Each structure stands twice: as structure tokens, then as C-alpha cells.
Amino acid sequence: MKKIFNKEFAIGLSVIVAILILIFGIDFLKGINLFRPAHYYVAYYDNVDELTVSSPVLINGFKVGQVREVNFNYKKPGKVEVVMALDKNLQLPEGSVAEMSPTLLSGSRIELRMGAGPNMIPSGGEVPTGVKGGLMSSVQDMMPAVTGILPKVDSLLYNLNLLVADPALTASVQRLDGITDNLLATTKGLNSTMNNQVPRLANNTVKITQSLDTIVGNIGQLSYQLKTLPINATMDNVNQLTANLTQFSRQLNDKNSTLGLLTSDPELYNRITQVSADIDSLLVDIKKNPKRYISIKLL
């Protein structure tokens, strides 16, 4: 009887241990660590969109917890209750939001945006929720635009096919081949010319450089000579001459001066004219009657 009791006890104990190992193993495979202390928070969503138990909870891309339970809330119809197990050292301030976003391949995750409130949400409290659009949402938003572009792309491809099948395009390509051959021949000719002319150009360049050096030396010598010229004395003479001319002009314009009288007195002008006319008459008369004015006596 004692052996039977011991055998049944051992079998029962083994079953219990196996069940515990199975439970802990399943949780371990899900990423749930039952021995790690955590704070629990509740969030309510209208649609969990493939959010499952053990889905990650992230802050700035870093995993700080995971989803522990996903249950339909019968007290709030249309709401799905999500229990999050977060690191015990993490505290959520008021104003924090739990945004659910789809992953690239499949499933969803929760991203926490930390609030700036002065108080902390207590453990077991409710966290406000939000939904963040993922890649598929962006693709769905782009589908109307893509649908509108497709007819234009089809028309573009049709016109491109017509252009490619046009014989004129083939002829143009052949002409381009001929132009390319001519360009290659021209390039070869230029290379040959450059090879023959470059040494001569280099020699001419050397000669031109030497000539420029000579010209620069001459300019330097001329600059030195100009620098040594008595510019100040010359300018003094010019200033003196200008002053004299100014004084002479002033005297010409002054009617009271001798020069002014010579240029502005009409009576003097008339007398000089009369004297000139008398002298002219005298000369004419001397030519006609030289004996009247000149007497020659011969001994």
C-alpha cells in the first residue's frame, strides 16, 4: 500500500512539474519573464490590428516591456483591453500616449510617447491611446494617385513603342553613327596637329615671355625716370605762367589799362587805321614820284 501511494504521488508530482514547465516554457518562448517585476498598465483600442500577447512595447525604438494580455472588454462594447507589462523602473507621467503601429512584415507593436505632466500614472492605471499609420496605410493613401498615373504611364509606353518602331529613328541613329565616326577622325587629326604644333607653340611662348620680360624692364626704367623728374619745379613754373596769363587777361579786359585801351578804345583804333591809310598813300605816291622825295646829286 505504501509503494502504491509513493508511485501515485510521484506520478502526480511529475505531472504538476511538467505542467508548470510547460506553462513557464510557453511564456518563455513568448518572451514573458514571470520572475521579473513589472508595472502593469491598461490601454483600450477600437481595433488591435493583429496585436498579440508578447508584442513589444517601445520608447524611442527601445523595448521597455511587452503586451501581457489582449481581451475584449464586455463592459465597454467595441473596445479591446490591452494589458502592458513595463519595466518596474519605468514610470509614465500624465499625458503619455500608447500609440499602436503596424510592423513592416506582420503584427503590431505599441510605441509610448512620454508626457510632460507633473504626476505619474499609477500602476494598473489607464494610458490614453492612439493609432499611428504604418507602411500599408501610406501605400493605401498613395493608391488613388497611383491609379491616376497608370493611364498616363500606359499612354507614355505606347508612344514610346511608336517612337522606337519609327524608321526615322533608325535612320537618325545611323546618322549619329556617321557623325561619331567623323568626330573620331577629327579628334585623331587634332591630336596629330597638337603633337606637331605644341613644341613650336612652346618655343614661341618662351620667346614671347622673354620679350615681355624686356618690356617689363623698360617700363620699370621709364617709371624710375618719371619718378626722378623735377615735377614740383615744373608745376611751380606752370602755376607762375598761369598766374601771368591770368594777369595779362585781366589787363586786356580792363578798359583803364594801356592794353585795355588798345583793345577797347574805338578812337585809337580809328586813328591807327587813318595812319595806316596815310602811310599806304605815302608809299604809293613815293612809287609814282620818287624824285619828289629823293634827290640824287652827282659830283
Side-chain angles (χ1 to χ4, degrees):
M1 185 70 180
K2 188 176 181 180
K3 290 181 179 181
I4 295 174
F5 177 76
N6 291 337
K7 184 177 181 180
E8 293 176 350
F9 178 76
I11 293 172
L13 182 61
S14 299
V15 171
I16 293 173
V17 171
I19 293 173
L20 292 175
I21 292 174
L22 179 62
I23 293 173
F24 283 103
I26 292 173
D27 289 338
F28 179 77
L29 293 175
K30 291 180 178 180
I32 299 174
N33 189 354
L34 297 176
F35 298 101
R36 185 174 182 178
H39 285 304
Y40 292 92
Y41 295 91
V42 180
Y44 295 95
Y45 295 95
D46 295 329
N47 187 351
V48 292
D49 194 15
E50 299 184 3
L51 186 71
T52 59
V53 176
S54 73
S55 294
V57 180
L58 309 175
I59 295 179
N60 297 331
F62 182 79
K63 183 178 179 180
V64 294
Q66 58 190 0
V67 175
R68 182 59 61 86
E69 295 180 11
V70 179
N71 301 314
F72 186 81
N73 192 335
Y74 294 97
K75 295 181 179 179
K76 297 180 179 180
K79 295 290 184 179
V80 179
E81 182 183 76
V82 176
V83 180
M84 299 178 293
L86 305 182
D87 192 290
K88 189 175 180 62
N89 297 322
L90 177 65
Q91 293 183 343
L92 296 180
E94 293 180 348
S96 299
V97 178
E99 290 186 344
M100 185 178 60
S101 62
T103 58
L104 182 60
L105 297 178
S106 63
S108 299
R109 62 186 180 184
I110 294 178
E111 296 183 5
L112 293 176
R113 287 195 296 106
M114 304 296 285
N119 301 321
M120 300 297 168
I121 300 176
S123 179
E126 181 180 349
V127 181
T129 60
V131 178
K132 184 178 180 181
L135 179 62
M136 293 305 297
S137 178
S138 301
V139 171
Q140 291 177 357
D141 294 337
M142 292 173 58
M143 285 305 296
V146 172
T147 304
I149 292 174
L150 285 178
K152 298 179 181 180
V153 173
D154 183 66
S155 176
L156 178 62
L157 291 176
Y158 175 75
N159 293 328
L160 184 61
N161 290 330
L162 291 178
L163 179 63
V164 172
D166 192 350
L169 180 62
T170 304
S172 299
V173 172
Q174 292 175 355
R175 285 195 293 269
L176 287 175
D177 291 338
I179 293 172
T180 303
D181 294 336
N182 293 332
L183 287 175
L184 291 175
T186 303
T187 303
K188 291 180 180 179
L190 287 175
N191 290 332
S192 177
T193 303
M194 291 298 293
N195 292 331
N196 295 328
Q197 297 297 330
V198 165
R200 185 180 301 173
L201 291 175
N203 294 329
N204 294 334
T205 302
V206 172
K207 294 179 180 179
I208 292 172
T209 303
Q210 293 174 354
S211 300
L212 288 176
D213 291 337
T214 304
I215 293 171
V216 170
N218 296 332
I219 291 174
Q221 185 177 2
L222 177 61
S223 176
Y224 175 76
Q225 293 176 355
L226 290 175
K227 184 177 180 181
T228 56
L229 287 176
I231 301 298
N232 294 329
T234 303
M235 291 303 298
D236 292 338
N237 294 332
V238 171
N239 292 332
Q240 184 65 32
L241 178 61
T242 303
N244 293 334
L245 290 174
T246 302
Q247 184 178 1
F248 179 74
S249 176
R250 188 180 297 111
Q251 290 179 358
L252 285 176
N253 294 324
D254 187 4
K255 296 181 179 181
N256 296 323
S257 65
T258 302
L259 293 175
L261 289 175
L262 289 175
T263 58
S264 61
D265 189 356
E267 184 178 356
L268 179 61
Y269 174 77
N270 293 330
R271 288 180 181 181
I272 291 173
T273 303
Q274 183 64 37
V275 170
S276 177
D278 293 339
I279 292 173
D280 184 63
S281 299
L282 179 61
L283 291 175
V284 171
D285 188 57
I286 289 172
K287 289 181 180 180
K288 290 181 178 181
N289 303 302
K291 293 180 179 182
R292 186 183 299 177
Y293 301 95
I294 300 174
S295 60
I296 300 174
K297 293 181 180 181
L298 298 175
L299 296 176

